[in-house]
Amino acid sequence: FLGQFTHDRLFSLGIYKLAKIFVTCSNSEVLPMSLIEALFYGLPIVAPKSQGIVDLVKHEENGLLVDPKDEQAFVDSIDRKSVV
């Protein structure tokens, strides 16, 4: 965990290029920009099955969708050696 970054610094520092996976637990965003940016960089996604996320993440294609109330499902998905 690197802490909070402004949007400009996020790209200038190349943070997405350093990541191997993108995980979000938020299930209240309709169109999460951070998820779109992670997809742009080709990162596999672990995210809750909710709202606009299901329109962007296709389960076992570009990420894994989990029950937003199932903490263990998040852990198991992150632990998988091959996310997609």
Side-chain angles (χ1 to χ4, degrees):
F1 296 97
L2 300 173
Q4 185 174 358
F5 289 91
T6 63
H7 194 260
D8 292 339
R9 288 200 64 218
L10 187 68
F11 289 102
S12 67
L13 295 173
I15 298 300
Y16 282 107
K17 293 178 186 176
L18 300 174
K20 294 182 181 179
I21 186 173
F22 181 86
V23 180
T24 182
C25 297
S26 175
N27 62 358
S28 62
E29 298 180 62
V30 177
L31 190 58
M33 282 303 297
S34 58
L35 193 137
I36 293 169
E37 292 162 349
L39 288 169
F40 174 80
Y41 281 96
L43 294 174
I45 307 295
V46 173
K49 255 186 258 183
S50 64
Q51 298 188 46
I53 292 174
V54 296
D55 296 323
L56 298 169
V57 178
K58 302 302 175 208
H59 187 68
E60 295 192 354
E61 288 182 30
N62 61 349
L64 296 173
L65 295 169
V66 299
D67 180 337
K69 296 178 182 175
D70 187 349
E71 294 173 9
Q72 191 60 48
F74 276 98
V75 172
D76 294 342
S77 296
I78 294 166
D79 281 345
R80 281 179 57 175
K81 290 187 181 198
S82 175
V83 175
V84 290

